[in-house]
Amino acid sequence: MTLVQKQLRPTHPAPAHPTVTGAVDPAGPQVRDDMTVEVALAVMAGARTGHLLVCDDGDQRTGLVTRAQLTTVRDSPSYTDRLRLRDLSDDGTTP
């Protein structure tokens, strides 16, 4: 009896030139930027993840927010329940 060794190949080859959006780990929930901070925290808790990928109206990734960033925003004196993810600055804090 002869043993045969198989080599597994990926079903989707890696792109020759990764893009900036491809550099972000695509794993994790994607949410729209019109979501409120409080709902985003609830989504994170339900998904048991520490980050969310934020997308605009055209489903283009615009950023990433972490649980720590959103908790800091929620605990700040400038927080209101109407604050949306698009209202946050690039570093995930209120403007």
Side-chain angles (χ1 to χ4, degrees):
M1 177 184 274
T2 305
L3 294 175
V4 177
Q5 200 172 30
K6 289 186 176 183
Q7 291 183 345
L8 299 176
R9 296 182 197 170
T11 57
H12 301 290
H17 303 287
T19 61
V20 173
T21 55
V24 176
D25 181 15
Q30 294 184 12
V31 297
R32 297 276 298 268
D33 62 359
D34 60 349
M35 181 177 283
T36 64
V37 169
E38 198 63 37
V39 172
L41 284 166
V43 168
M44 275 190 208
R48 296 182 182 185
T49 185
H51 70 277
L52 296 172
L53 298 172
V54 182
C55 299
D56 62 11
D57 294 338
D59 290 331
Q60 296 295 316
R61 291 188 196 139
T62 59
L64 181 135
V65 292
T66 64
R67 183 185 316 263
Q69 289 171 319
L70 295 182
T71 302
T72 300
V73 168
R74 186 188 59 195
D75 295 342
S76 73
S78 60
Y79 173 75
T80 70
D81 61 352
R82 295 183 181 189
L83 190 63
R84 301 194 181 277
L85 297 179
R86 73 168 65 115
D87 299 331
L88 303 178
S89 62
D90 289 336
D91 63 353
T93 61
T94 54

